[in-house]
Amino acid sequence: MSKSFIVNDGAFEAEVLQADELVLTDFWAEWCVPCRMVEPLLDKIEAKYADQLKVVRIDADSAQELTGQLGIMSIPTLILFKNGQPLERLTGSNCTRERKLLERIVPHLT
């Protein structure tokens, strides 16, 4: 696994909403095959943009209150946050395509 932060409901505010940098949240579950397909893509993106982007992984099974608050109905779901506000949301197969991910992330990088 990458150097991504793994957070739970309690750490979400500090690690995501109060973060100074752009944060890509990955809502996943251990049993989710497409979620496992996303991980190497996120590792690659995180390495390339390490100085501009933080990746945070959240186990949807362990953070059901948070997933409910954010309206996450399926996984994988990726949400890009800046200054505590969601900018982009990708779900399902859109998360497993590197080109699609970069099209949504890169315009927000500084």
Side-chain angles (χ1 to χ4, degrees), residues 80-94:
L80 187 65
F81 286 87
K82 186 171 187 175
N83 298 323
Q85 298 299 312
L87 301 174
E88 300 282 349
R89 181 183 290 240
L90 294 103
T91 58
S93 64
N94 286 327

Side-chain angles (χ1 to χ4, degrees), residues 20-22 49 51-53 82 105-110:
D20 293 328
E21 67 267 81
L22 196 61
Y49 300 104
D51 58 334
Q52 301 173 64
L53 178 71
K82 186 171 187 175
I105 294 169
V106 171
H108 299 285
L109 296 173
T110 56

Side-chain angles (χ1 to χ4, degrees), residues 1 9-10 68:
M1 191 164 107
D9 287 346

Side-chain angles (χ1 to χ4, degrees), residues 1 6 26-32 35 57-61 75-77:
M1 191 164 107
I6 298 177
D26 172 22
F27 288 85
W28 67 285
E30 187 69 33
W31 50 265
C32 171
C35 296
R57 301 190 72 222
I58 301 155
D59 183 344
D61 289 337
I75 54 173
T77 294

Side-chain angles (χ1 to χ4, degrees), residues 1-6 24-48 53 55-58 75-78 92-98 101 105:
M1 191 164 107
S2 73
K3 63 181 178 171
S4 305
F5 291 88
I6 298 177
L24 181 62
T25 58
D26 172 22
F27 288 85
W28 67 285
E30 187 69 33
W31 50 265
C32 171
V33 174
C35 296
R36 292 180 189 194
M37 294 169 59
V38 171
E39 187 174 356
L41 295 175
L42 294 181
D43 289 346
K44 185 176 178 180
I45 291 169
E46 182 179 38
K48 184 173 182 176
L53 178 71
V55 175
V56 173
R57 301 190 72 222
I58 301 155
I75 54 173
T77 294
L78 303 177
S93 64
N94 286 327
C95 297
T96 61
R97 298 184 184 126
E98 183 177 358
L101 284 171
I105 294 169

